[in-house]
Amino acid sequence: MIMEENGRREFITTVTKALGASAVILSPAVGMARSVWENENSFTVQQIMDLIIKEIPGAPFKDTVDTLKSGSPDQIVTGIVSTSFATIEIIEKTAKLGANFIITHEPTFYTHRDETEWLESNPVYQYKRDLLKKYNIAVWRFHDYWHSYVQDGVQTGVLTTLGWEKFADKNELHTVTLSPTSMKKIVSHVKAKLGIKMVRTIGDPSQICKRVALFPGAAGVKRQVTWLEKIKPDVCIVGELSEWELGEYIRDARSKGEKISLIVLSHAVSEEPGMRRLVTWLEPRIPGIKVTHVPAMNPFSFM
């Protein structure tokens, strides 16, 4: 009888512990418990976003485009892809990698703030939205925060890739002072380092250049022109521009007699080095999660 009673008590104790553990796992009050028990190195999308944001000066921002564009903040991350644009091709590659979290620098749905109301009946938008749902992929834009990191994450990535970090002004990374070299050689250098087949230029290829204004991405004409007036560069290198804005300003400046040239790289390739840098920055902070850089590349070709 004593042995039977002891056995019964052990059985009840074991069942009670099991049921208690199940209750904890299912309880919404301890949202992390399940993922922690499944894998001590697992992270949710929200945890990774929070981890990144806490290292940005002045964050979190009240008004930012850096919001979740698809997926759930509570989903467990199986892998991360960093890229400049979360294109349909990037989504497919992410799924093949077994990853389910894309950190992209630029918009996913074609406007700065990713407004989608105007696209609800658009078949391209619907296809992309449904593809993200099919693969259960979360997409987070990482633009404002990365540019606000101590030593702008994108600018630093571009400078490092170009081998120009030691020539950049320590207080203003958009200003680079090189040894005197021809614009033609500068063009060859940036094409080789950034993997660009062709660039657009305004100016004289034989012009000797020393001071460079470097603006990857789309900084905007007011910011670009203000900076050109301030530092008087020999050449301005941009990711992209509105042709009727900065392009016409450079044309008029040259007609006025100023010796300034322009090199246009294209948006995606100009900021991709910054998203490649995110891999080495982020991986040590999230052990057990693979972070892969998948470049979106330049969508344009020249005929």
Side-chain angles (χ1 to χ4, degrees), residues 240-257:
E240 72 166 89
L241 76 167
S242 292
E243 294 183 16
W244 53 276
E245 293 179 334
L246 183 62
E248 292 306 312
Y249 177 85
I250 296 294
R251 174 157 47 183
D252 282 347
R254 290 182 59 80
S255 295
K256 173 179 172 292

Side-chain angles (χ1 to χ4, degrees), residues 44-62:
T44 66
V45 167
Q46 187 65 58
Q47 286 173 325
I48 292 175
M49 291 191 299
D50 289 343
L51 181 151
I52 293 172
I53 291 171
K54 75 177 183 180
E55 298 204 35
I56 309 299
F61 301 156
K62 291 183 179 179

Side-chain angles (χ1 to χ4, degrees), residues 78-107:
T78 60
I80 298 173
V81 163
S82 74
T83 190
S84 59
F85 286 88
T87 65
I88 287 175
E89 183 179 10
I90 295 295
I91 294 167
E92 294 283 6
K93 288 181 177 180
T94 298
K96 288 180 180 178
L97 287 169
N100 67 345
F101 188 18
I102 297 174
I103 300 180
T104 181
H105 189 62
E106 296 299 359

Side-chain angles (χ1 to χ4, degrees), residues 8-296:
R8 188 173 70 86
R9 287 176 180 172
E10 289 178 6
F11 173 77
I12 292 172
T13 300
T14 301
V15 171
T16 301
K17 286 182 178 180
L19 289 174
S22 298
V24 172
I25 291 173
L26 296 174
S27 172
V30 282
M32 290 189 350
R34 178 179 57 193
S35 61
V36 170
W37 291 357
E38 287 176 354
N39 178 357
E40 62 180 7
N41 289 328
S42 65
F43 294 84
T44 66
V45 167
Q46 187 65 58
Q47 286 173 325
I48 292 175
M49 291 191 299
D50 289 343
L51 181 151
I52 293 172
I53 291 171
K54 75 177 183 180
E55 298 204 35
I56 309 299
F61 301 156
K62 291 183 179 179
D63 183 25
T64 178
V65 296
D66 293 0
T67 58
L68 202 61
K69 312 303 179 182
S70 76
S72 166
D74 299 321
Q75 67 191 69
I76 301 299
V77 175
T78 60
I80 298 173
V81 163
S82 74
T83 190
S84 59
F85 286 88
T87 65
I88 287 175
E89 183 179 10
I90 295 295
I91 294 167
E92 294 283 6
K93 288 181 177 180
T94 298
K96 288 180 180 178
L97 287 169
N100 67 345
F101 188 18
I102 297 174
I103 300 180
T104 181
H105 189 62
E106 296 299 359
T108 300
F109 298 118
Y110 321 119
T111 66
H112 185 52
R113 291 190 176 274
D114 286 289
E115 298 98 341
T116 58
E117 294 83 0
W118 65 288
L119 290 169
E120 285 302 325
S121 61
N122 184 285
V124 175
Y125 161 72
Q126 291 172 347
Y127 182 88
K128 191 173 192 179
R129 177 200 61 195
D130 294 346
L131 194 64
L132 288 166
K133 289 181 180 178
K134 172 185 174 182
Y135 293 129
N136 192 31
I137 291 176
V139 176
W140 180 47
R141 188 174 180 192
F142 186 44
H143 180 273
D144 298 351
Y145 287 126
W146 203 209
H147 279 301
S148 299
Y149 185 64
V150 178
Q151 297 292 68
D152 183 323
V154 171
Q155 192 77 13
T156 302
V158 176
L159 286 168
T160 301
T161 300
L162 291 174
W164 288 356
E165 63 271 27
K166 58 183 176 293
F167 303 122
D169 187 304
K170 289 187 171 76
N171 298 315
E172 183 42 74
L173 299 181
H174 293 292
T175 302
V176 180
T177 304
L178 304 174
S179 300
T181 186
S182 70
M183 179 184 164
K184 183 177 180 179
K185 287 185 177 180
I186 291 176
V187 168
S188 296
H189 178 79
V190 298
K191 285 170 63 178
K193 292 294 184 179
L194 298 178
I196 304 173
K197 293 182 179 180
M198 301 182 74
V199 298
R200 293 188 295 164
T201 67
I202 297 176
D204 179 2
S206 65
Q207 177 190 346
I208 299 301
C209 302
K210 183 176 180 181
R211 188 177 290 267
V212 178
L214 178 62
F215 284 99
V221 67
K222 291 183 179 179
R223 187 180 180 199
Q224 291 162 337
V225 169
T226 299
W227 200 250
L228 299 186
E229 180 59 26
K230 179 179 179 180
I231 72 168
K232 305 294 185 184
D234 302 302
V235 60
C236 177
I237 302 177
V238 301
E240 72 166 89
L241 76 167
S242 292
E243 294 183 16
W244 53 276
E245 293 179 334
L246 183 62
E248 292 306 312
Y249 177 85
I250 296 294
R251 174 157 47 183
D252 282 347
R254 290 182 59 80
S255 295
K256 173 179 172 292
E258 294 184 17
K259 292 185 177 180
I260 182 170
S261 295
L262 177 70
I263 301 172
V264 184
L265 307 173
S266 94
H267 196 123
V269 294
S270 74
E271 294 196 299
E272 207 69 75
M275 297 311 289
R276 186 184 306 115
R277 178 174 181 251
L278 179 63
V279 174
T280 55
W281 183 89
L282 182 57
E283 266 197 329
R285 293 166 166 82
I286 50 171
I289 302 296
K290 177 66 175 175
V291 184
T292 305
H293 175 250
V294 182

